Amino acid sequence: MSQQIIYRILDANLDRAREALRTIEEWCRFGLEEVNLCDRCKQMRQELAQWHRIEFRRARNTPDDPATGLSHANEVSRADVQAVIRANMGRLQEALRVLEEYGKVVDPNFGEAMKQMRYRVYTLESQLLKHEENNIGEIRRQKLQAASLYLVTMPVDNIASVVESALQGGVQIVQYRQKDGEDGTRYAIAQQLCEICHKYDALFLVNDRVDIAIAVGADGIHVGQTDLPVSAVRQILNANGGDASQYIIGQSTTNPHELEIALNNQVDYVGVGPVHATPTKPNKAASGHEYVNYAAENIKIPWFAIGGLDEHNLEEAIAAGAKRVAVVRALMQAEHPDLVAKQMRSHLFRK
């Protein structure tokens, strides 16, 4: 009986490893167009197939497997291609470790072969990470293009837990906005939020403070019309061997004239609003749905409707043409940010 159980474990993990390798191989082939990386994946797949003995397959008993229906929320969707690759690389490494340990019971050579393959996979992962680092700007813009729900923070108690809850509910971009306070405190909060966002594969941006954004490894900067000029932001990002093209830069707009300025600045995205009057922008009159409609007809880059939006009035903004929205109080002051975020994402997804 114990031998059959081990055979089932080996069968399941050989399948899992080969499936993960094939997923990675397809990206190396069609995405990166790297023949060498593609060939290495293929060679490992074939090597695994040679170890997949007939007795392992015969021990398979999928109908009686109690775990076939189990899944995790992170498996339901992937933010982008990089999330797919990272998930499958993790699955591959886990499967190889299982094969190494249980394979020793069946054949010491089997266990040793899986161990050596696991080391080869670590090297493959390092090379894929180098590709990712070289194309970080493109990767970030892919995430921006795919995003529909954007959170702008406001000062609250337990800001990290609030933001993490919102991320669990489906927020894809977080902008840390803190106009007052000591720089040391702002830096510490930004660093914490950046780590949390990257844990959930979300983009993290900093409002106005380019220095803090660079220091914590943020994905980009957001500026208003009266903040630091976009040209100056790029100059700072390019300083000391930096590369502004690796960062996302967004800008707020409240009317067609400001929109023209932002587009001439060649920003990556714009904010459109405030749709409704909001205490976040006390000196800004509401631009209403008319400006949202104008944006829908005239903006080709990603744009986010913002200003007093929540789960109750979101449908009106969507009807005016919004496909992406940014929110502040609706999530930062929510009792359950994750539930509100899920509700808003579901509205946006239907459109």
Side-chain angles (χ1 to χ4, degrees), residues 22-181:
R22 187 55 185 254
T23 303
I24 297 166
E25 180 184 335
E26 294 300 277
W27 177 243
C28 293
R29 177 183 178 185
F30 296 106
L32 302 179
E33 297 183 340
E34 282 282 349
V35 176
N36 290 334
L37 294 180
C38 182
D39 183 61
R40 285 165 60 189
C41 291
K42 185 175 182 179
Q43 293 300 323
M44 284 189 282
R45 276 197 304 108
Q46 292 178 344
E47 185 177 337
L48 287 171
Q50 292 174 355
W51 284 105
H52 209 155
R53 301 176 184 175
I54 189 65
E55 55 264 38
F56 300 165
R57 299 177 187 274
R58 285 175 176 162
R60 187 179 303 171
N61 187 10
T62 304
D64 294 330
D65 186 342
T68 54
L70 297 180
S71 65
H72 189 277
N74 291 343
E75 297 176 337
V76 176
S77 64
R78 303 286 187 217
D80 51 31
V81 170
Q82 282 64 43
V84 172
I85 299 304
R86 283 193 289 273
N88 279 277
M89 188 63 71
R91 182 178 293 118
L92 173 59
Q93 292 167 359
E94 291 168 1
L96 287 174
R97 171 60 85 175
V98 173
L99 290 169
E100 176 186 343
E101 295 300 329
Y102 285 96
K104 295 172 185 176
V105 179
V106 175
D107 182 347
N109 292 325
F110 187 176
E112 181 62 24
M114 297 303 103
K115 177 181 178 180
Q116 295 305 318
M117 184 177 293
R118 186 160 51 82
Y119 292 147
R120 285 152 59 191
V121 167
Y122 291 151
T123 302
L124 174 65
E125 182 178 34
S126 297
Q127 293 179 319
L128 287 173
L129 285 173
K130 287 181 181 179
H131 275 280
E132 185 173 330
E133 289 171 2
N134 293 336
N135 296 285
I136 189 65
E138 179 183 348
I139 292 167
R140 286 168 170 167
R141 288 174 179 83
Q142 288 174 356
K143 291 183 180 181
L144 172 65
Q145 189 69 40
S148 60
L149 187 57
Y150 182 142
L151 169 63
V152 181
T153 71
M154 61 182 289
V156 296
D157 294 334
N158 301 317
I159 186 172
S161 61
V162 172
V163 169
E164 182 159 19
S165 177
L167 288 164
Q168 290 170 343
V171 163
Q172 297 145 297
I173 304 177
V174 173
Q175 177 196 142
Y176 174 51
R177 187 176 188 272
Q178 177 67 51
K179 292 294 186 180
D180 303 313

